[in-house]
Amino acid sequence: NIMTVDDVRLFELPKFIDPRGSLSFAEQNNQIPFEVKRTYWIYDVPGGESRGGHAYKSTDEFIIAISGSFDVTIDDGTRQKKFTLNRSYYGLYVPKGLWRVMDNFSSGSLALEFASTKYDRNDYLEDYGKYQELRNDGKI
Ligand code: TYD
């Protein structure tokens, strides 16, 4: 099934606000709508840098700005949609097959990402022209 920017979802995660501090959580196959095989995090991003700039053939992801803020721009070859993650209780679901760029990282921000696959570079599409070709042919 072919995903578009309309399949990307910004979820509000549960939060427990307490005089001792706040707590949020996410469970696989629940708040995170897939089975989690891997997690990774991005930190110490210098001002003005961007991350991503690729699509995955088969990996679904779920992205949380645990600390600070950044933007995630999703592109399906036809349309673009920008999401700003600036709360610890937001989770962005990005299904497979979509081009993504992360930028506008605030200083000290921390991006936590959950993925539905183990790391495999063969799952990456890193050439935007090639990505658009595959989209036009309905192959991704
Ligand atoms: P990269 O995919 O280029 O990061 P981004 O998506 O933010 O542009 O990954 C940077 C490096 O980290 C690259 O050499 C591959 C490695 N890496 C892993 O080994 N395992 C992982 O799960 C990820 C996401 C990256």
Side-chain angles (χ1 to χ4, degrees):
N1 44 342
I2 307 286
M3 298 296 176
T4 74
V5 292
D6 295 324
D7 295 303
V8 178
R9 288 280 141 72
L10 185 61
F11 291 112
E12 191 162 330
L13 299 170
K15 56 175 186 285
F16 292 87
I17 295 167
D18 185 301
R20 298 172 300 151
S22 304
L23 181 149
S24 289
F25 67 88
E27 296 175 342
Q28 69 174 349
N29 296 326
N30 195 353
Q31 290 81 16
I32 301 175
F34 53 80
E35 191 177 321
V36 176
K37 294 275 173 58
R38 172 167 55 104
T39 185
Y40 62 95
W41 44 99
I42 295 171
Y43 52 96
D44 289 349
V45 178
E49 280 296 339
S50 73
R51 306 284 316 199
H54 51 69
Y56 303 118
K57 293 178 211 163
S58 66
T59 302
D60 300 326
E61 284 201 326
F62 192 84
I63 308 173
I64 303 176
I66 293 291
S67 181
S69 64
F70 51 84
D71 296 334
V72 184
T73 302
I74 306 297
D75 182 328
D76 62 17
T78 308
R79 286 183 299 142
Q80 288 198 346
K81 222 163 160 179
K82 184 166 96 174
F83 298 87
T84 297
L85 299 187
N86 56 7
R87 297 282 179 242
S88 302
Y89 53 83
Y90 288 164
L92 186 69
Y93 169 58
V94 183
K96 66 182 177 179
L98 299 170
W99 193 268
R100 90 280 312 281
V101 172
M102 297 165 67
D103 62 7
N104 201 23
F105 287 88
S106 70
S107 133
S109 59
L110 171 57
L112 180 61
E113 317 216 11
F114 299 90
S116 66
T117 61
K118 288 201 172 173
Y119 178 67
D120 174 8
R121 205 75 204 177
N122 293 321
D123 197 47
Y124 282 60
L125 292 168
E126 301 187 83
D127 178 334
Y128 187 73
K130 178 90 191 299
Y131 171 72
Q132 274 193 313
E133 244 173 66
L134 290 170
R135 290 295 297 192
N136 290 339
D137 296 345
K139 290 198 173 121
I140 187 173

